[in-house]
Amino acid sequence: MKKKLVAILLTTAMVTTGLTGCGSSDSSSTSSTATDTASTSTSASTETSSTDASAGTDTAAIDTSEHVVITYMTTGGAPTNGATEEMLEQLNAILTEKVNAELSIYYIDWTDYLSVYNLTLAQMDGTVDLVGTASDWLDAWPNVKNGAFLELSEDMLKTYAPQTWASVPAENWDLCKYNGEIYLMPEDNYAQWTNHGYAYRLDWAKEAGLENGVHSWEDLTTYFKYVKEAYPDVIPWDSDGTQYAQMVSGWISSHSNYVSIDGLNAGAMWGGTKDDLYTVYSPYMTDTDSLVEYAKMMKEWDEIGVWKTDVLNNTASDNREDYKIGRVAAEQHHTQTWTDLCSHKPGYTIYEDDEDAETGFFYFGEETQNVVALSITHGAMAVSAASKNPERALMVYDLLRNDPDCYKLINYGIQGKQWDVNDEGLRIQPDTYNKDTDAITTNFWWGRNDDLEIKDATMNWDAIDKLYAEYDKIKINYPYGQFVADVDNIQSMINNISEIHTNYMKQISYGKYKGTAEEIVAEYQAALEAAGINEVTAELQRQFDELYK
Amino acid sequence: MGKTKTKVAKPKSGLSFWQKVKRSRVLLLMCLPAVVFFCVFSYAPMPGIYVAFVKYNYRDGIFGSQFVGLKNFEFLVNSGKLFDLTRNTILYNVAFIILGNALAIFVAILLNEMRCKWFKKVSQTMMFLPYFISQVLVGVLVYNLLNYDYGFVNSILGKLGMEKWGPYSDASVWPVLLVIIHLWQKTGYNSVVYFAAIMGIDAEIIEAARVDGANGWQKIRYIILPGLKPTFIILLLFAVGGIVKGDFGLFYNVVGKNPLLYSTTDIIETYVYRATMTDFNFATASAVGLYQSIIGFCMVMVSNFVVKKIDPDYSLF
């Protein structure tokens, strides 16, 4: 009998190895978590007491006798050409002198960036101090709820990041709070537009008979049809099959007054309308006719051959680079990307090969003038809860964001090497600049500051300023900045809804569904309903009512 | 593996515990690494299963987080796909186990019958190689072979004036394709085990059979195949334990995130990956792991029980 028991235990061990394999990493991270928490909480308490004591005194009173390394985590591939290190050397000389700290950069490669990003935060072993984050594309709020970020008390901010504290208005700090505590330092003084749309060849659109360019989805159909016929070597748009959600939400913006709530799921499937902001609904359930029309149009695009036949397995495309050299005719991304594509930069051979070449932008929502300005937490800096030196991390961030020398170093590089100023006061690349050996990668998108920005001379400011002016006329501000949904009770439903949305939208957005458009939309909506989309809407409405009424 | 351990524990009557330990100290010492391994990597972390029942918070840790009961299991049940996913996973694994072992035995026998030494070595190496190719590369290879616009197969079909074949929009062909890919990758490796078992069969028996006038086929049928039976059953029992664990690498890399193919290719792993990686939920993932482990445990117990009923000598315990 005993023998049997031993054997049973062994079997258990055998079959559970897989499970406990991940369990073991969990438990080890827990133990380190526990100690980390202890250390941060003690340091936090000593810090507050010291803050109390030194309240009112200037930063000179802060003890910075110990030299520390502050690691800043950002998304993007690590550079290999050594130029970034060279820049950091200069930057660190300044940082050492001012706050006795130096900066190192921890890169999260773009491959599966969100998973790796979250996993790195979950380690909680003090690897990173400053964390670039975003409420709409980098899970800022889920990580706040999971305890990955440190609460930043007003005293802390006033003492260690005084310039940042002073420059961000109180109402913007309010948008960075969860349960009354500030967690994020927002990039709120930097003009950029990240509303999505299609960048396309304006000169080709004119050839296609669209004299004023593309201004609607129907125009896009005309455009793609023309490109396919007139330029058989060009793939109209070599999509990699991941833009399905952007496309359909763009369609909805273009055909309604829908304003989505950020950060609930990748599809941004809930929101209100411009006229009635605080009544939650999901256009994916209500706008059936519009969706059917969309499904039909995408089927048409698929038949035209806008993308490759196996678009859903097409992982090898590099559409944006191909656009610059004229292999494709459109790029679906946001305005910021377009500002780059429409500028005559070195290496953008379309402008050299064809002097008529121009890049236009059709933004989603153009038909209905439905454009929402960027949430200020589209880029923000947080401090890791496991950071051993949160105070110094704040001091470093304050300098990077507000000190002109540090700012230019981290954003542009070394003057004379990566950048220079021309007679008009615009930023240029020196003649000696070589993209391969001199480019720096810091991806500091979490505290750019228009007060210190120097306009880039290579950008096509005429076109950009014109579009920005148009946006400014029609935009509304993101209305739900203060809303951080409590999703504990609906998370499992949202997960399943996201999965359904992804599965059906990939088929619908790339016209790969079987049967008619009406059937696939009905099937999609039935699946959403079964997964509890109405319950989620009701729960969000309840939380909205609590906050806004 | 399990067998040696139970043998060590065999009691010698009339001796005290320490005497027994002393007597078999060499054997005990030999199995110590395995025991330590399982204690450290399987038993010690087992309390971590608890994470499947909490709302995990990084700072509070597994045991400090709030207990939520079976809530983490909810999403899998609510998805309404639990049955389909489990079915896909099990059916693929059944196909992999049965066909994989049958083919491996077949190949091992062929290798054994080969007389030309260098050809034997070369073909063995060739078959072994795919095992070392990363699943990511396998996915790329398959895509480049099969894709509609410029894939190798379709280029040839096009040149021959035949209609193109679009497997990436046809779910029905994937069970066959995936099994073929799996066999291509794993057969060389699996056949080594059987080849070794054939080598272990007493040469005198084969010699005697030949003297008695057995031909090649009879030798295989009456000596080699029965000789492989214990190996086959042990491998089978091990494989059955993992029957609800899918081969994530293969499915994720070859099928990718193409919803047109999910009806026949979605397994528990790929579904959970897609659904939980977006919100990075350890607890839900662990809940699924626990579900798979419990089913795996039951499967091993049941199949061992069945094997024992039929022939006690072949059971694991």
Side-chain angles (χ1 to χ4, degrees), chain B residues 135-149:
Chain B
Q135 305 276 33
V136 180
L137 292 179
V138 172
V140 176
L141 281 176
V142 173
Y143 179 71
N144 281 309
L145 276 180
L146 298 182
N147 83 70
Y148 191 85
D149 293 319

Side-chain angles (χ1 to χ4, degrees), chain A residues 7 9 11 13-14 30 33 37 112 145-147 149 308-310 312-313 488-489 492 496 499 503 506, chain B residues 43 55 57-59 61-62 71 75 79 147-149 168 238 255 257-259 262 271 273-274 300 317:
Chain A
L9 278 175
T11 322
M14 196 179 75
T30 324
T33 311
T37 321
D112 271 336
K145 287 183 219 164
N146 282 340
F149 296 150
K308 287 182 185 155
T309 313
D310 291 329
L312 296 175
N313 283 76
D488 288 355
N489 291 319
S492 72
N496 284 322
E499 171 65 13
N503 289 349
K506 278 188 174 178
Chain B
Y43 287 100
K55 178 180 152 27
N57 179 301
Y58 302 167
R59 267 194 262 185
I62 293 178
K71 215 165 165 197
F75 109 98
S79 74
N147 83 70
Y148 191 85
D149 293 319
Y168 282 103
F238 279 132
V255 177
K257 297 179 181 172
N258 183 346
Y262 287 164
Y271 181 81
Y273 177 79
R274 289 198 313 274
V300 171
F317 46 84

Side-chain angles (χ1 to χ4, degrees), chain A residues 55-206:
Chain A
T57 58
D58 64 348
T59 43
I62 301 163
D63 174 26
T64 56
S65 53
E66 191 198 350
H67 184 75
V68 297
V69 176
I70 298 300
T71 307
Y72 143 66
M73 167 165 144
T74 188
T75 48
T80 50
N81 57 13
T84 307
E85 285 77 6
E86 207 183 319
M87 177 280 294
L88 278 177
E89 232 167 76
Q90 293 203 9
L91 177 64
N92 285 335
I94 304 178
L95 291 177
T96 306
E97 186 200 328
K98 293 200 168 166
V99 293
N100 199 15
E102 57 183 279
L103 188 74
S104 77
I105 305 181
Y106 187 96
Y107 295 91
I108 303 289
D109 197 83
W110 285 119
T111 313
D112 271 336
Y113 66 94
L114 193 57
S115 318
V116 182
Y117 177 86
N118 283 326
L119 193 61
T120 312
L121 287 177
Q123 284 170 356
M124 296 287 277
D125 55 359
T127 325
V128 295
D129 301 287
L130 286 170
V131 182
T133 190
S135 60
D136 47 357
W137 64 282
L138 272 177
D139 282 356
W141 294 125
N143 277 306
V144 166
K145 287 183 219 164
N146 282 340
F149 296 150
L150 188 68
E151 307 82 336
L152 305 169
S153 68
E154 287 189 16
D155 283 338
M156 258 177 103
L157 286 166
K158 274 180 204 160
T159 316
Y160 301 109
Q163 298 188 68
T164 309
W165 172 254
S167 68
V168 176
E171 66 265 26
N172 286 356
W173 283 121
D174 282 344
L175 302 180
C176 299
K177 283 180 180 172
Y178 177 69
N179 280 344
E181 299 276 358
I182 295 173
Y183 286 90
L184 313 171
M185 293 174 279
E187 181 183 82
D188 64 341
N189 184 29
Y190 182 73
Q192 63 167 341
W193 288 90
T194 58
N195 54 325
H196 277 249
Y198 279 94
Y200 62 93
R201 290 286 295 269
L202 186 55
D203 49 326
W204 290 356
K206 284 176 184 164

